[in-house]
Amino acid sequence: MNNYYDSKDMTAMFAASGIYKSSLPAVRFIIIAILGGAFIAMGGLLSLMVAGGMTGIGADNPGLIKFMAGALFPVGLIMVSITGADLFTSDCTAFTLPLLQKKLRVASFLKLLLFSYVFNFVGTQAIAYVLSSNLGYFSADPWQSYLHRYTEAKVYQPWGAVFVKGVGANWLVCLGMFMGYAAKDIAGKCIGIWIPVMIFVTLGYEHSIANMFFVPAAIYSGSGITWIDFIGRNLIPATLGNIVGGAVCVGCVYWYLHLCRTENPS
């Protein structure tokens, strides 16, 4: 007997998670969406405090700093998965699967993604301001300069590049959630989630919910980035790319591979 589920079972479980969340009362969905944003922000905060403090090592080994940030950030998604919180980016797959199965209406699909996105933002701000910038975590170097450089590089790059990086980010994030469903124990789930998410952060791809933490934290701590620049130059293209990465590269692909023929055997 396998000690893990196969990809067909994983696809069915991912789809079932979307159906379950779509059936929740609005207040409960809002609560788990706020938690999801907060947990992702906590992973981001951890990565900033460790990677941003490695100034001596980073001067000679910039790749190591990127890997360290990538190795630590996934704890946020692990907490989301294990605790049953909600995350917009993984919802791009979780709601696409039942949509394609005709178990979720288009209007519900759009409403759920919007609610998740908005209340993930609320959760990220609780960490970005109340539990980090408000406490002076980014008021002194090396953390302030690291955060400001990191976020300026995210915001001030070509719009198309952010979109493509958004596709890559959520392709990997949703693969992480997908691989997490393979596990029959907590350790296996953690490893399955960790691998793809570590890759996306190390490669510098753009995750809209994570950026809702990183960039506002920089703004709250005195960065010259404006909210208009953040939203127009980073958040919008990253979000659109995330939707494509999660809905198309994972949702549509695995629906076709494992659910389409089951529902339409002819």
Side-chain angles (χ1 to χ4, degrees):
M1 179 182 295
N2 290 336
N3 64 350
Y4 61 91
Y5 295 103
D6 64 24
S7 58
K8 185 174 181 179
D9 291 333
M10 292 152 61
T11 305
M13 286 188 284
F14 213 158
S17 73
I19 294 170
Y20 167 74
K21 285 194 284 188
S22 72
S23 69
L24 290 175
V27 173
R28 292 186 182 180
F29 186 81
I30 288 169
I31 291 171
I32 63 172
I34 292 172
L35 291 174
F39 294 160
I40 290 297
M42 287 179 183
L45 177 58
L46 175 65
S47 70
L48 286 176
M49 296 308 293
V50 177
M54 298 174 63
T55 52
I57 297 173
D60 297 323
N61 302 279
L64 182 60
I65 297 297
K66 292 178 182 291
F67 174 74
M68 184 59 67
L72 295 172
F73 179 83
V75 300
L77 190 61
I78 289 169
M79 289 192 292
V80 168
S81 178
I82 292 175
T83 65
D86 177 75
L87 185 64
F88 164 79
T89 44
S90 60
D91 282 348
C92 291
T93 294
F95 294 140
T96 295
L97 290 168
L99 177 69
L100 294 173
Q101 291 177 295
K102 299 181 180 179
K103 296 180 179 179
L104 188 67
R105 294 181 179 179
V106 173
S108 296
F109 172 82
L110 296 174
K111 181 183 74 174
L112 288 163
L113 285 182
L114 178 61
F115 266 56
S116 180
Y117 192 79
V118 169
F119 289 101
N120 277 176
F121 178 81
V122 173
T124 59
Q125 300 320 290
I127 308 303
Y129 182 75
V130 179
L131 292 181
S132 56
S133 296
N134 182 57
L135 299 177
Y137 284 9
F138 307 124
S139 60
D141 284 337
W143 295 280
Q144 185 183 79
S145 58
Y146 174 81
L147 173 62
H148 290 188
R149 288 195 307 269
Y150 182 67
T151 52
E152 286 165 6
K154 283 181 168 294
V155 172
Y156 300 113
Q157 58 180 319
W159 201 95
V162 178
F163 173 82
V164 174
K165 289 180 179 180
V167 175
N170 209 29
W171 189 359
L172 289 165
V173 166
C174 290
L175 281 178
M177 292 295 286
F178 184 75
M179 290 169 59
Y181 283 113
K184 294 184 178 181
D185 58 29
I186 294 294
K189 181 178 285 289
C190 293
I191 294 169
I193 294 170
W194 182 84
I195 294 171
V197 179
M198 174 274 293
I199 294 172
F200 114 68
V201 178
T202 302
L203 295 180
Y205 291 158
E206 299 291 341
H207 185 270
S208 58
I209 308 305
N211 290 351
M212 288 177 183
F213 163 72
F214 289 124
V215 183
I219 294 172
Y220 297 144
S221 61
S223 170
I225 299 171
T226 66
W227 283 97
I228 291 175
D229 280 348
F230 166 48
I231 294 170
R233 302 184 63 162
N234 179 272
L235 191 59
I236 290 175
T239 300
L240 295 174
N242 289 169
I243 292 171
V244 173
V248 178
C249 298
V250 181
C252 291
V253 167
Y254 285 97
W255 169 79
Y256 176 75
L257 290 175
H258 298 301
L259 299 177
C260 178
R261 295 177 184 177
T262 300
E263 296 159 8
N264 303 288
S266 61

